[in-house]
Amino acid sequence: GQANHNVARAVGFGDLVQIKKQLISVISLCKERGLVHSVKWASELAFALKPLPMSELPPPAPLTEEDVEDLDALGLAKSYFDLKEYDRAAYFLRGCRSKKAYFLYMYSRYLSGEKKKDDETVDSLGPLEKGQVRNEALRELRVELSKKHRTGELDGFTLYLYGVVLRKLDLLKEAVDVFVEATHALPLHWGAWLELCNLITNIEMLKSLSLPDCWIRDFFLAHMYTELQMIKEALQKYQSLIEAGFSKSTYIISQIAVAYHNIRDIDQALSLFNELREQDPYRIENMDTFSNLLYVRSMKPELSYLAHNLVEIDKYRVETCCVIGNYYSLRSQHEKAALYFQRALKLNPRCLGAWTLMGHEYMEMKNTSAAIQAYRHAIEVNKRDYRAWYGLGQTYEILKMHFYCLYYYRRAHQLRPNDSRMLVALGECYEKLSQLSEAKKCYWRAYSVGDVERMALLKLAKLHEQLNESDEAAHCYIIYIQDIFSCGELLEHVEVSTALRYLGQYYFKNKRYDEASLCAQRCCDYNDAREEGKALLRQISQVRDQGEASSADVSLPCVFGSLSNNNTPVRRVSPLDLSSVTP
């Protein structure tokens, strides 16, 4: 089948027939070797392309002398392999010489070790002791495969297996090199590309690798950009794949939905997930991500429906357990939620989301040490999980260990430079460590990148207030009020009254009585500021009775003109001159 794959390099997206042929060939190669996930991926893609006429179907790969010799042993071994009797399969493949049989022999030994390790783990107690059990077969496999590697005897599939063995032994640098070699030897095997995705930690590392020039590389890059939070680039790639002819691919729809989830474009993501469920109603992959979105939006009936639906399809799937965990968490049943995330981790200890979500549940239950342990596991599985870094920051904040907390929030911020929540958390941390100029920078930047929770300006204003920088504080309060009114939606924890109270006093001190009285009148709309508002109005009328004119110094543009009329939300005014505030 190697000849087929050399063609792969030359084909662009112009020739979908050629791509379909290659997919059909690689599906049968992976099937013979028990690589079920790569078979599924390639089949989903092939399904999205037009069927081929009989005359165009690719012929099966030609057999070698050795293949013919091993035919019976391979058939027998594969039947045991399919029944998960891995030791038995390996036993009958011992003396075989063909490449196919050698791969299945090594792969059976590897899976036998994995299965024993998993069984060990299930027998051991909680999911937190996960890392202790090892796959005993790995060391021997590495010794044997590295000998063959040195003499250049490994084909694309065995290179892939060698890479997996190296990764499991934590030899990550060697693993990356071997996976790159595997993609060159066999560009169409998605498994090798996917393994690379999990090992590449930043864009520099991605650029440094020399990857085969083949259509499948575009799928890999799009996936990689999503992982590296380069969402704009990822969406462009996926869009061009759709235009190239893969518009029916459920894989691409799900990937785009995940990308929108990562940039918190919740509406787009929800509509794509709903479309995905219409096309593929029994699908379970990515449904945990869908449930995260429903959770963030507090859509209880939808989340409940999704949970019940997945339990009917397959209740012992990792994703199902995560969805049920989210469902209980939304109903504030945190012990039950944690239990389901633990169940998910029993099923798959590499399930990143479950570690992070379990950390969140322990936080809710005020069990900080368990939360810290869970977040650390999440980071071991994937260094790029900003939610776990952020969670660690929160736990140490509760423990009042602000230097630690600063470190973790910084890591979260590096992974998500444009996420205002990380910046506000960083600012609070600097404030507690009395590094106020750093705190100001963080709050200002949080406002600049688009503050999700609308808290940054308020915190910045209060900081200026503490430092007696009254002009700057007033500036911030003004933009804060504009911001709250211009977004038109009612937000919780809005402190408009705080801002109005401060501004009323500020204008009063500066003898600008018209603005002051406007603020005071607005204060009367809020329960917690009513008394102060009335008092200020009395003060103003006293001063005016004494005949003191309102100061004409209009150093601050008055933005309250349009606020006096309650029903018109203020248009976002062009940013005021904040040269004094900008760090």
Side-chain angles (χ1 to χ4, degrees):
Q2 210 60 46
N4 261 345
H5 293 286
N6 293 339
V7 190
R9 299 207 172 94
V11 175
F13 283 104
D15 194 353
L16 290 177
V17 174
Q18 218 30 55
I19 289 179
K20 175 97 175 194
K21 281 184 180 175
Q22 291 170 4
L23 284 169
I24 292 171
S25 308
V26 83
I27 288 166
S28 76
L29 292 178
C30 290
K31 249 189 203 140
E32 296 168 336
R33 291 167 176 77
L35 293 163
V36 286
H37 292 290
S38 291
V39 168
K40 185 177 89 171
W41 186 83
S43 303
E44 282 180 350
L45 266 199
F47 185 75
L49 297 172
K50 280 200 199 75
L52 295 176
M54 183 100 166
S55 58
E56 290 282 355
L57 288 176
L63 296 175
T64 63
E65 275 298 312
E66 288 154 344
D67 286 332
V68 177
E69 280 169 37
D70 296 344
L71 207 56
D72 298 334
L74 194 59
L76 179 65
K78 182 71 166 70
S79 72
Y80 295 142
F81 178 94
D82 289 341
L83 292 165
K84 297 194 169 37
E85 298 186 49
Y86 301 121
D87 290 335
R88 200 173 174 192
Y91 175 79
F92 284 99
L93 288 167
R94 290 183 329 282
C96 294
R97 299 208 326 257
S98 67
K99 290 252 199 266
K100 203 181 298 179
Y102 180 69
F103 174 81
L104 205 63
Y105 170 60
M106 298 306 261
Y107 193 36
S108 299
R109 288 169 57 193
Y110 165 77
L111 286 175
S112 155
E114 282 295 288
K115 188 169 185 297
K116 285 170 189 150
K117 179 186 81 169
D118 289 344
D119 296 348
E120 264 312 279
T121 314
V122 172
D123 298 342
S124 83
L125 292 163
L128 289 169
E129 290 90 51
K130 211 64 202 189
Q132 279 59 355
V133 195
R134 299 221 62 155
N135 175 345
E136 296 303 328
L138 292 174
R139 293 221 170 80
E140 289 173 27
L141 289 172
R142 182 192 164 208
V143 171
E144 295 172 39
L145 285 164
S146 69
K147 273 185 198 148
K148 292 225 174 208
H149 185 229
R150 276 197 293 273
T151 55
E153 288 175 70
L154 298 184
D155 66 353
F157 287 115
T158 30
L159 280 167
Y160 159 74
L161 181 59
Y162 182 34
V164 173
V165 169
L166 291 170
R167 170 173 69 72
K168 290 266 180 179
L169 289 168
D170 282 329
L171 301 166
L172 305 184
K173 215 169 144 14
E174 293 91 322
V176 170
D177 295 340
V178 171
F179 285 128
V180 169
E181 202 180 326
T183 59
H184 279 279
L186 191 75
L188 292 180
H189 176 218
W190 180 242
W193 292 99
L194 205 52
E195 283 289 341
L196 267 181
C197 280
N198 296 329
L199 292 172
I200 292 173
T201 45
N202 55 46
I203 184 69
E204 286 69 37
M205 183 172 172
L206 177 61
K207 284 183 175 151
S208 70
L209 301 177
S210 80
L211 299 165
D213 183 19
C214 157
W215 60 265
I216 208 164
R217 188 176 73 173
D218 286 303
F219 283 90
F220 162 74
L221 287 174
H223 188 104
M224 211 52 253
Y225 291 149
T226 312
E227 288 286 303
L228 294 173
Q229 306 291 342
M230 298 165 60
I231 305 297
K232 202 170 103 235
E233 291 82 347
L235 289 172
Q236 280 168 353
K237 268 264 180 263
Y238 283 127
Q239 198 45 50
S240 67
L241 289 172
I242 286 175
E243 284 158 16
F246 289 97
S247 57
K248 291 196 178 67
S249 159
T250 46
Y251 165 75
I252 292 183
I253 297 174
S254 70
Q255 284 294 107
I256 295 177
V258 170
Y260 278 125
H261 162 268
N262 288 0
I263 49 170
R264 300 181 74 76
D265 186 336
I266 298 175
D267 297 324
Q268 283 275 16
L270 283 174
S271 78
L272 283 163
F273 274 119
N274 286 321
E275 181 187 332
L276 193 59
R277 284 188 44 91
E278 269 168 36
Q279 284 191 31
D280 191 358
Y282 292 91
R283 178 192 185 93
I284 292 186
E285 305 101 286
N286 313 105
M287 287 304 125
D288 45 344
T289 310
F290 184 32
S291 77
N292 291 343
L293 295 162
L294 296 173
Y295 179 92
V296 170
R297 274 285 155 92
S298 303
M299 297 165 82
K300 269 191 192 150
E302 290 84 347
L303 186 53
S304 161
Y305 175 73
L306 180 67
H308 284 103
N309 187 232
L310 294 184
V311 168
E312 276 171 25
I313 300 169
D314 184 351
K315 70 178 185 192
Y316 293 115
R317 274 280 288 273
V318 176
E319 293 90 341
T320 306
C321 294
C322 287
V323 172
I324 299 171
N326 273 337
Y327 168 68
Y328 282 124
S329 180
L330 190 55
R331 297 181 51 176
S332 302
Q333 295 174 284
H334 300 295
E335 282 84 356
K336 262 191 165 167
L339 193 76
Y340 273 95
F341 294 132
Q342 281 177 352
R343 186 179 283 183
L345 291 162
K346 276 217 148 120
L347 292 166
N348 175 10
R350 287 188 64 75
C351 171
L352 168 72
W355 284 118
T356 308
L357 294 169
M358 193 159 79
H360 296 344
E361 295 313 306
Y362 283 132
M363 287 276 285
E364 293 286 345
M365 296 190 281
K366 308 271 185 287
N367 182 347
T368 40
S369 62
I372 287 172
Q373 228 178 334
Y375 289 136
R376 287 197 185 289
H377 274 279
I379 288 166
E380 269 169 42
V381 180
N382 180 355
K383 294 258 189 301
R384 288 190 304 262
D385 183 20
Y386 73 94
R387 289 168 317 179
W389 291 107
Y390 184 63
L392 278 171
Q394 285 179 308
T395 20
Y396 283 113
E397 195 170 341
I398 290 173
L399 298 171
K400 304 231 179 334
M401 299 166 76
H402 300 300
F403 272 113
Y404 277 23
C405 146
L406 187 65
Y407 169 75
Y408 293 114
Y409 283 145
R410 262 201 199 132
R411 293 293 297 257
H413 167 61
Q414 282 160 2
L415 290 165
R416 302 267 300 189
N418 290 333
D419 194 322
S420 62
R421 293 163 308 163
M422 316 295 149
L423 283 156
V424 171
L426 263 178
E428 286 172 341
C429 215
Y430 280 125
E431 216 176 309
K432 294 198 180 94
L433 294 166
S434 307
Q435 302 187 22
L436 301 183
S437 68
E438 290 298 318
K440 283 187 208 170
K441 282 182 200 163
C442 291
Y443 292 144
W444 181 249
R445 184 155 165 70
Y447 167 67
S448 311
V449 295
D451 183 8
V452 191
E453 284 153 353
R454 316 252 166 189
M455 292 291 288
L457 282 172
L458 193 62
K459 290 181 184 298
L460 186 54
K462 287 180 174 170
L463 197 54
H464 285 306
E465 205 179 318
Q466 271 174 356
L467 298 167
N468 293 326
E469 300 169 348
S470 56
D471 291 352
E472 287 87 344
H475 265 311
C476 291
Y477 278 131
I478 288 176
I479 314 180
Y480 174 67
I481 291 177
Q482 289 175 358
D483 213 33
I484 294 297
F485 282 100
S486 68
C487 75
E489 53 189 300
L490 285 169
L491 296 148
E492 293 164 45
H493 61 240
V494 169
E495 295 190 38
V496 176
S497 54
T498 316
L500 287 168
R501 244 183 321 199
Y502 182 81
L503 285 168
Q505 293 296 338
Y506 170 78
Y507 285 130
F508 184 73
K509 279 189 201 108
N510 286 333
K511 299 196 162 95
R512 293 175 55 192
Y513 302 122
D514 298 344
E515 286 95 333
S517 93
L518 215 141
C519 292
Q521 283 160 18
R522 288 308 298 272
C523 280
C524 298
D525 300 344
Y526 298 91
N527 292 336
D528 57 348
R530 189 164 294 136
E531 291 314 309
E532 289 192 35
K534 287 179 179 162
L536 184 58
L537 283 171
R538 282 196 294 275
Q539 275 178 301
I540 294 170
S541 63
Q542 267 176 342
V543 174
R544 285 197 165 147
D545 291 347
Q546 291 162 11
E548 194 173 318
S550 178
S551 154
D553 161 36
V554 190
S555 59
L556 272 174
C558 177
V559 290
F560 296 108
S562 46
L563 285 188
S564 50
N565 181 353
N566 260 349
N567 50 17
T568 50
V570 176
R571 215 166 36 77
R572 187 163 300 215
V573 190
S574 60
L576 306 171
D577 169 31
L578 279 174
S579 47
S580 49
V581 201
T582 318

